[in-house]
Amino acid sequence: MASTTSDQTPSDSTSIDVLSKLQDSALFTDKAYIADEWIKTGKTFAVCEPSSGTTLGRVSDCTLEDFQRAISVASSAQLKFYEQTTATDRGAFLRSWYEHIIANVNDLSIILSLENGKTLAEARGEVIYAANFVSWFAEEATRSYGHTIPSSMPHTTLISVKEPVGVCGIITPWNFPAAMITRKIAPAFAAGCAVVIKPPSETPFTALALSKLAEKAGIFPGILHVLPTKDRSAATELATSPLVNKISFTGSTGVGKMLAKLAAGTLKKVSLELGGNAPFIVFDDADLDLAVEGAMICKFRCSGQTCVCANRIFVQKGVVAAFTRKLKDAVSDLKMGSGLDPATTQGPLVNEAAVTKVLEHIEDAVSKGAKVEYGGKRPSGPGFFCEPTILTSVRSDMNVSQEETFGPLAAVFEFDTEEEVIELSNSTPYGLAGYFFSRDVGRCTRVSRKLQVGMVGINTGKISAAEAPFGGVKESGYGREGSLYGLSEYQVIKSITTGNLDK
Ligand code: SIN
């Protein structure tokens, strides 16, 4: 079992002086949060700063026993949490947490940018996006209505109420170290659940900083546990423990399928937000400047490392040359560098494997006839950088067409007709997001109906917001996060039939 030790911070083992950059250095912690205590475990692991490839800090590496203890504490705390708080109390806590996050937006953005690599401006945007989920569910907490149902039986009253699902195992990715956590745990708290979080091993510090702020905001005892780990059995424990009632996972389709199989053993409720292979379609009647603006947002956000990034850019034959020229102009304005450098508009990728995958996709496409219009290489020097790249003459037999690149590679395919591009767009097992640009109202209606995805962007590359239902179809997963649907993912419906009260 883990034990509390000295107050040493990650700065003791890092070459980067993180603490001097922060207003509140206590937000940068190497300790896990278990059972209302900040705990330094015996073992630690290194977290990398991707623009230099050096160690940002070391963080507590939680064991299977730590997870089992957290789950057990969460299980008893959850019952008290739901019994002893009203929806108004839970909403008030979330409102206070939101205010603490906003008050610390600068520090959170620095920590996030350092561990993930994204630019400071993007990191700030993400922290605000993350905070918006907290304020959204602060409001939703008090609007969790049940129904009064006309009963078919005489002298009977039938109502439905929504109750918390229980303890939730939360497994989150490194590409949105703040927002993917709040999108899951804000509705969980609003509903009255307890959570045990396994944050990504690449970006645990933001999750821990958010938890420090939740503590300051007056979190109910025992309902929040954050356990960084490199131990793969932790995820298995969350997915199989009979004390965990729900799993929410954002990450790869492969891991999502494995977790769903494991969770089936105890029939847990499961939400999966998995990989995508988003089509981004530019019809010949589109406003090309708008289409390029949309492509820049949804291709190069987080250096191309989002599940909703445009992966296949389909451009109708008549406008390929004009669109590519405009895209090239916009991409050539991107400036690669460390996320903390204010001049940077394109940060590094998260690690070496991410760079390798992008370079492999470029190499495979070029070997099969694609043309490099811009970029295509790894720059010399330290860090996990890859040039923002545009390929044209891309075809369906190339790897970039089949798999999510998860990097700054804009792959441009040509097409002739609406029917053809819809078929191409849907010819993938994934169905997370899809985008298209057109000024024809009939086409906008048809194409939005025919795309087999959970989220459609028409004439925009920006679809993510706290109020927008987020989630996919097909092998991109199930469940919806954020929005008016997100709370019910953390609730179960109970029907209560009362007979003979009027006798
Ligand atoms: C993701 O990449 O999984 C999330 C992206 C978003 O929320 O916009």
Side-chain angles (χ1 to χ4, degrees):
M1 189 182 291
S3 60
T4 313
T5 58
S6 80
D7 215 31
Q8 186 192 20
T9 67
S11 64
D12 298 326
S13 52
T14 177
S15 53
I16 299 159
D17 185 7
V18 184
L19 301 189
S20 71
K21 299 182 196 301
L22 304 178
Q23 276 175 329
D24 180 0
S25 58
L27 288 181
F28 190 60
T29 180
D30 59 356
K31 299 188 181 81
Y33 190 56
I34 307 173
D36 309 311
E37 277 188 290
W38 290 96
I39 289 176
K40 186 150 187 201
T41 56
K43 246 174 83 191
T44 60
F45 65 87
V47 177
C48 188
E49 191 277 303
S51 73
S52 61
T54 60
T55 298
L56 176 65
R58 298 191 68 84
V59 70
S60 289
D61 191 356
C62 294
T63 61
L64 183 59
E65 291 71 38
D66 293 325
F67 273 83
Q68 286 164 342
R69 187 161 79 90
I71 291 168
S72 159
V73 172
S75 181
S76 13
Q78 189 273 321
L79 296 173
K80 293 192 196 114
F81 180 42
Y82 187 55
E83 267 171 27
Q84 295 173 14
T85 59
T86 61
T88 308
D89 297 332
R90 298 193 293 273
F93 157 69
L94 288 170
R95 172 60 54 189
S96 167
W97 189 27
Y98 166 82
E99 278 157 11
H100 279 83
I101 295 172
I102 293 298
N104 289 277
V105 65
N106 291 340
D107 283 354
L108 290 168
S109 310
I110 291 168
I111 295 171
L112 198 162
S113 172
L114 279 169
E115 64 179 355
N116 168 280
K118 66 177 69 176
T119 64
L120 201 51
E122 274 194 274
R124 194 182 173 84
E126 184 190 331
V127 173
I128 291 166
Y129 179 40
N132 287 345
F133 287 111
V134 180
S135 72
W136 177 266
F137 285 107
E139 305 298 329
E140 288 292 288
T142 54
R143 290 169 179 67
S144 175
Y145 302 109
H147 285 104
T148 303
I149 302 164
S151 173
S152 62
M153 292 177 276
H155 310 291
T156 302
T157 305
L158 173 57
I159 61 165
S160 68
V161 294
K162 290 178 183 164
E163 295 190 340
V165 66
V167 175
C168 306
I170 306 288
I171 307 176
T172 57
W174 48 261
N175 59 345
F176 287 85
M180 295 307 99
I181 291 200
T182 57
R183 188 153 82 187
K184 295 179 192 305
I185 74 173
F189 292 149
C193 297
V195 302
V196 178
I197 306 174
K198 185 191 115 34
S201 58
E202 294 85 352
T203 60
F205 292 123
T206 306
L208 294 167
L210 285 169
S211 310
K212 286 257 172 189
L213 296 173
E215 196 184 28
K216 277 193 182 172
I219 184 107
F220 191 90
I223 61 160
L224 169 65
H225 308 261
V226 188
L227 291 83
T229 188
K230 282 273 201 185
D231 183 350
R232 281 166 190 260
S233 64
T236 306
E237 183 65 21
L238 289 174
T240 55
S241 166
L243 296 181
V244 176
N245 310 93
K246 154 140 195 150
I247 285 284
S248 179
F249 170 72
T250 296
S252 73
T253 293
V255 175
K257 285 181 182 175
M258 186 198 77
L259 288 171
K261 275 189 200 145
L262 290 171
T266 43
L267 291 181
K268 293 186 199 327
K269 194 162 171 156
V270 178
S271 301
L272 299 172
E273 197 264 275
L274 308 176
N277 184 352
F280 181 101
I281 308 166
V282 183
F283 288 102
D284 56 12
D285 61 43
D287 175 334
L288 290 189
D289 292 320
L290 203 60
V292 168
E293 192 186 309
M296 292 305 292
I297 293 170
C298 90
K299 176 67 257 184
F300 294 101
R301 177 175 173 226
C302 192
S303 300
Q305 302 171 108
T306 85
C307 302
V308 290
C309 269
N311 203 52
R312 296 167 295 156
I313 302 180
F314 296 111
V315 187
Q316 205 156 13
K317 277 218 166 88
V319 291
V320 175
F323 174 82
T324 307
R325 199 175 53 248
K326 284 173 184 280
L327 184 65
K328 206 163 144 181
D329 285 348
V331 171
S332 62
D333 283 343
L334 291 175
K335 187 171 176 317
M336 267 186 299
S338 149
L340 287 196
D341 178 346
T344 299
T345 51
Q346 189 77 175
L349 301 193
V350 72
N351 56 26
E352 189 61 39
V355 178
T356 306
K357 180 154 192 201
V358 181
L359 295 177
E360 275 173 9
H361 273 190
I362 295 170
E363 200 181 306
D364 168 76
V366 170
S367 75
K368 292 173 181 159
K371 182 172 169 231
V372 180
E373 296 284 345
Y374 190 84
K377 293 189 296 298
R378 175 183 202 152
S380 57
F384 308 123
F385 288 96
C386 181
E387 288 177 346
T389 298
I390 304 173
L391 294 181
T392 50
S393 304
V394 182
R395 293 189 323 258
S396 307
D397 60 334
M398 300 171 182
N399 290 346
V400 59
S401 165
Q402 324 289 336
E403 302 163 14
E404 196 176 29
T405 306
F406 234 62
L409 165 58
V412 179
F413 301 64
E414 293 181 22
F415 72 93
D416 279 311
T417 65
E418 188 180 305
E419 293 68 33
E420 178 196 357
V421 80
I422 286 172
E423 199 180 318
L424 284 167
S425 298
N426 292 338
S427 65
T428 154
Y430 303 102
L432 191 59
Y435 309 82
F436 64 92
F437 286 73
S438 167
R439 284 183 279 206
D440 176 333
V441 177
R443 171 173 274 163
C444 289
T445 311
R446 277 192 308 277
V447 177
S448 63
R449 287 185 183 162
K450 287 187 177 164
L451 284 179
Q452 295 167 354
V453 293
M455 295 169 281
V456 175
I458 306 175
N459 293 327
T460 179
K462 197 164 186 282
I463 56 172
S464 305
E467 66 279 12
F470 195 102
V473 297
K474 294 161 70 177
E475 294 192 20
S476 291
Y478 40 76
R480 288 295 175 271
E481 298 195 310
S483 78
L484 72 161
Y485 306 111
L487 184 60
S488 60
E489 298 284 332
Y490 295 87
Q491 293 175 315
V492 285
I493 292 173
K494 180 183 272 178
S495 72
I496 302 177
T497 304
T498 311
N500 302 310
L501 277 183
D502 54 350
K503 280 200 172 164

